[in-house]
Amino acid sequence: MSTTAWFILIGCLMLARGLGADGIARLPLTSAIAYLGVGLLLGPMFLGLFAFDLVQQAPLLETLTEIAVLISLFSAGVKMPVPFSLARWLPPLRLAWLSMALSVALVAAFACLVLGLPLGAGVLLGAILAPTDPVLATDVQLRHAGDSEQLRFMLTSEAGMNDGSGFPFVMLGLGLLGLHELGPHGATWLWRDLLWASGAAIALGAAGGALLAWLGWQVRAKEPKHAMLDDLAALGLIACVYGVATWLHAWGFLAVFFAGVALRQTELRLAGAPKDRQGLLQAQETHTVSATQPHDSEVPLTVSGESLVFKEHLERLSELTLVLLLGGAVMAAAWSWRAWSVALFLLLVARPASVMLGLLASGTSVRLRGLAAWFGVRGIGSLYYLSYAIAHGLPRGLARELADITLVVVILSIIAHGLTVKPLLERYWRK
């Protein structure tokens, strides 16, 4: 399609989504399904008006998905309830690390034993498909900053962490394929890609978020009044934390998520926010007036709160664009028994088994674990890992096979989870 046609298409979709927000919310499907349907209709599966070669355009897709995931991870971090509590965070920590590792192992075993892929390719496929998605799973994630509902909190924090915690397994798969240095007996991978890269990312993100919160508080406390551009400050934090993390060979996704967490945690503590009945700090909904300032002056309470709406708008634009491209990237040949088998194994066996095992003796109810096991939405994060692997030297034949499998898994996940999210959650809330 021409550039003009793309402008018209995306503009019409944005108008339809904006004007029909209430009507779409009442439909038994998600907006991602609608975007996917348009992409499939216009793509090579049906009308053939446009096509997107995921393997050939891997560097472009890597950049687009990278930006989308970064914005979504930061937004997820900002929505985390305050204050941090290990007891509250332990189940999602187990999901993001233990359950994810189990899922990688199960998919890798299936890929090697059933599909006949080499071990490195199996581990890489497991790592690509293991992370749950922070972009497409908005219906099962936290609705607003401070939302403390347990299911939404678990799924949001899991998605926020495992887009970074999956990176060591991507590098392990690439290393087993001879595309990354693992060191003798995997020692280099263990200390550099797993321990250092993960630990440094968490520490850097926490420090960066806390520092911006403190600086913002100092600027707003000065006389005369100093205004802040909260949206740009938050975007600057994302860029700086991600850039420094990459420079230090740490996982930038993990750093950005924890930067959002630390920013919100620090700001509410500095503001002396009141506690609710659960002991969680609650930000004031309206702008506050400082006792030392004139009564007609208003100061936004937090950078995190003021910039969140802007970030959510960027998330919606990212979702529209990337899911539309997803529909134009899949061809009829991709729907092989190999792709179908991996998708069904992941959604019906690997994800439920890894969640149930990861949350054993966690104190969560069976019903909660069951819903968490089902709502492991795959999406933009998997596309990023795939394009990252392709851009870093994956052989073309293997790249094409992994791309077809990933596309089918993501499409089936969007459809299956999108059609079941509203009825299952309504039933869950009623009970």
Side-chain angles (χ1 to χ4, degrees):
M1 293 196 306
S2 65
T3 303
T4 302
W6 273 108
F7 270 107
I8 294 173
L9 173 61
I10 294 179
C12 287
L13 288 174
M14 292 171 68
L15 283 171
R17 181 67 178 92
L19 295 174
D22 286 341
I24 293 174
R26 290 192 292 268
L27 293 175
L29 49 83
T30 60
S31 56
I33 292 181
Y35 304 148
L36 177 63
V38 173
L40 290 173
L41 177 64
L42 299 180
M45 286 280 293
F46 294 99
L47 299 180
L49 296 181
F50 84 98
F52 184 80
D53 190 326
L54 194 151
V55 175
Q56 187 174 355
Q57 300 294 330
L60 172 62
L61 185 64
E62 181 182 357
T63 301
L64 293 176
T65 52
E66 188 174 29
I67 294 171
V69 171
L70 285 172
I71 293 170
S72 187
L73 290 176
F74 181 79
S75 298
V78 165
K79 293 176 184 176
M80 293 295 105
V82 183
F84 174 87
S85 166
L86 184 59
R88 185 185 299 118
W89 278 70
L90 193 55
L93 283 168
R94 292 169 65 166
L95 284 176
W97 297 88
L98 178 57
S99 294
M100 193 209 60
L102 290 171
S103 179
V104 172
L106 289 171
V107 172
F110 182 87
C112 295
L113 298 176
V114 177
L115 304 185
L117 292 177
L119 179 60
V123 172
L124 180 59
L125 180 62
I128 289 171
L129 299 178
T132 55
D133 194 69
V135 181
L136 301 182
T138 53
D139 290 280
V140 293
Q141 293 190 0
L142 296 179
R143 306 287 178 82
H144 54 79
D147 187 353
S148 59
E149 200 286 318
Q150 190 176 14
L151 175 63
R152 290 198 294 263
F153 167 67
M154 284 174 53
L155 293 173
T156 305
S157 50
E158 178 199 10
M161 287 183 281
N162 68 14
D163 268 310
S165 61
F167 240 122
F169 297 98
V170 172
M171 306 314 295
L172 178 60
L174 290 174
L176 292 172
L177 290 170
L179 301 174
H180 179 68
E181 176 61 40
L182 298 180
H185 307 293
T188 302
W189 173 83
L190 180 63
W191 73 260
R192 183 186 62 191
D193 296 330
L194 182 61
L195 300 178
W196 162 258
S198 301
I202 295 172
L204 176 63
L211 178 60
L212 177 60
W214 182 82
L215 289 174
W217 188 258
Q218 294 299 314
V219 168
R220 288 193 169 112
K222 288 185 176 182
E223 287 288 351
K225 175 183 174 181
H226 286 70
M228 285 183 58
L229 297 177
D230 297 293
D231 294 337
L232 284 181
L235 288 173
L237 175 63
I238 294 172
C240 288
V241 166
Y242 187 68
V244 174
T246 303
W247 177 53
L248 295 176
H249 303 289
W251 302 133
F253 285 173
L254 207 57
V256 167
F257 173 72
F258 278 99
V261 173
L263 175 66
R264 186 70 173 177
Q265 300 270 331
T266 307
E267 285 185 322
L268 291 194
R269 282 192 170 93
L270 289 173
K275 293 184 178 180
D276 63 8
R277 293 181 179 180
Q278 300 181 55
L280 299 176
L281 299 183
Q282 298 297 308
Q284 298 179 24
E285 295 297 329
T286 59
H287 293 197
T288 59
V289 179
S290 171
T292 61
Q293 291 178 326
H295 293 292
D296 60 349
S297 65
E298 293 184 344
V299 181
L301 182 63
T302 59
V303 174
S304 55
E306 296 300 313
S307 65
L308 185 56
V309 173
F310 176 64
K311 303 297 182 297
E312 290 177 339
H313 291 167
L314 292 179
E315 280 187 271
R316 292 192 185 100
L317 180 59
S318 301
E319 177 189 31
L320 187 158
T321 305
L322 292 171
V323 174
L324 192 64
L325 290 178
L326 175 66
V330 66
M331 299 185 180
W335 297 89
S336 64
W337 72 268
R338 296 167 71 85
W340 272 98
S341 65
V342 172
L344 294 176
F345 178 79
L346 173 68
L347 299 179
L348 302 180
V349 179
R351 169 67 180 180
S354 62
V355 169
M356 291 299 183
L357 290 172
L359 291 180
L360 278 178
S362 64
T364 54
S365 67
V366 175
R367 190 158 63 98
L368 185 65
R369 278 178 278 170
L371 281 173
W374 172 242
F375 287 121
V377 182
R378 267 58 184 181
I380 307 305
S382 293
L383 295 179
Y384 171 77
Y385 278 156
L386 173 65
S387 57
Y388 178 90
I390 294 173
H392 285 73
L394 203 62
R396 190 171 184 83
L398 181 58
R400 180 64 63 186
E401 181 171 13
L402 297 188
D404 288 345
I405 292 173
T406 303
L407 288 172
V408 170
V409 168
V410 173
I411 288 173
L412 291 179
S413 176
I414 291 174
I415 295 172
H417 294 121
L419 292 176
T420 59
V421 59
K422 293 181 181 179
L424 286 180
L425 287 184
E426 287 176 0
R427 183 178 178 185
Y428 174 71
W429 305 138
R430 283 199 303 268
K431 291 186 176 182

